[in-house]
Amino acid sequence: GAGVSQSPRYKVAKRGQDVALRCDPISGHVSLFWYQQALGQGPEFLTYFQNEAQLDKSGLPSDRFFAERPEGSVSTLKIQRTQQEDSAVYLCASSLGGAGDTGELFFGEGSRLTVL
Amino acid sequence: GENVEQHPSTLSVQEGDSAVIKCTYSDSASNYFPWYKQELGKRPQLIIDIRSNVGEKKDQRIAVTLNKTAKHFSLHITETQPEDSAVYFCAAPATGANNLFFGTGTRLTVIP
């Protein structure tokens, strides 16, 4: 596809369930980012990949959050034992350049997670 | 890390008037300052960006100005139209990294 694709678009989970959110970046984009956006707030950085290497995971809020990009393309954000405070929109973004080459981020539509 | 503050949080203007949104940042080494527009339920999209080697950049009705000494940058929208209604986010990069820190957003409403 032409843009960043995320799935599922909507996910409802019961507290304590594990969830997995998928991101398919723009082909050829080196950098991939995950952001968390709470209602009425700006995107908050979670983690960054350059190809398959996770260079920064400083924004992950707890060890229940895990992300991977094993082949340097598709990425998965996994949240274990979900809590109500995890409810948010999870945005994936990709950019063409690598570390140190700051440029436009292309965002997906997001995955809206609701934890009951 | 970078600290980005944005104001106002909401802004209402009459169609045809101008709108100005301001952001401040904390890291003097930051060198890239984008503005994103997010319509309700949609993805954020880049509308304009500026690098630290220039003080102003314009693209039709949109302009961004940068004051590196004061560490602030502003988005200017002239001749506003109803389709400009959205939430606007400023951002600045983390030191030595690619990730962006975003402001808390400004909800702009253009009244027809």
Side-chain angles (χ1 to χ4, degrees):
Chain A
V4 178
S5 177
Q6 291 188 245
S7 62
R9 290 292 315 280
Y10 303 92
K11 176 69 178 178
V12 178
K14 292 183 178 179
R15 190 173 58 182
Q17 283 185 329
D18 297 349
V19 299
L21 309 176
R22 176 190 168 103
C23 173
D24 207 332
I26 294 173
S27 178
H29 276 198
V30 171
S31 295
L32 185 145
F33 307 82
W34 283 99
Y35 285 85
Q36 180 189 62
Q37 187 174 27
L39 191 64
Q41 299 296 314
E44 295 275 350
F45 170 75
L46 295 177
T47 188
Y48 162 63
F49 290 86
Q50 178 176 279
N51 297 311
E52 69 279 1
Q54 188 175 21
L55 298 188
D56 188 344
K57 55 181 180 179
S58 62
L60 295 176
S62 77
D63 59 7
R64 297 186 295 104
F65 287 70
F66 172 78
E68 60 183 3
R69 193 187 185 196
E71 297 179 358
S73 179
V74 171
S75 177
T76 303
L77 176 67
K78 298 179 180 178
I79 309 173
Q80 298 177 322
R81 305 181 302 282
T82 52
Q83 304 294 316
Q84 286 187 322
E85 61 263 28
D86 300 335
S87 296
V89 175
Y90 290 85
L91 293 166
C92 175
S94 68
S95 69
L96 184 60
D101 184 15
T102 312
E104 180 176 1
L105 298 188
F106 293 85
F107 283 89
E109 295 279 12
S111 292
R112 181 179 295 278
L113 172 65
T114 303
V115 181
L116 302 178
Chain B
E2 178 70 276
N3 182 33
V4 178
E5 296 188 356
Q6 180 174 349
H7 57 94
S9 57
T10 61
L11 179 60
S12 292
V13 299
Q14 291 290 333
E15 182 177 357
D17 287 350
S18 296
V20 181
I21 304 170
K22 298 180 179 180
C23 278
T24 61
Y25 60 97
S26 60
D27 188 348
S28 57
S30 290
N31 59 4
Y32 174 70
F33 307 94
W35 285 91
Y36 284 79
K37 175 183 181 182
Q38 187 174 30
E39 298 178 3
L40 189 63
K42 301 292 186 182
R43 71 188 79 195
Q45 291 188 295
L46 180 73
I47 56 170
I48 196 167
D49 57 12
I50 191 170
R51 296 194 182 267
S52 58
N53 56 342
V54 297
E56 182 177 4
K57 182 177 178 180
K58 295 183 71 173
D59 182 2
Q60 299 181 20
R61 297 186 297 108
I62 295 172
V64 55
T65 58
L66 171 64
N67 184 327
K68 286 217 70 178
T69 303
K71 291 189 284 188
H72 67 71
F73 57 110
S74 299
L75 176 70
H76 305 253
I77 306 174
T78 58
E79 301 170 33
T80 53
Q81 301 168 3
E83 52 265 37
D84 294 331
S85 296
V87 179
Y88 292 82
F89 294 99
C90 61
T95 303
N98 272 38
N99 56 292
L100 295 174
F101 287 95
F102 285 83
T104 50
T106 297
R107 180 173 299 279
L108 173 64
T109 302
V110 179
I111 304 166

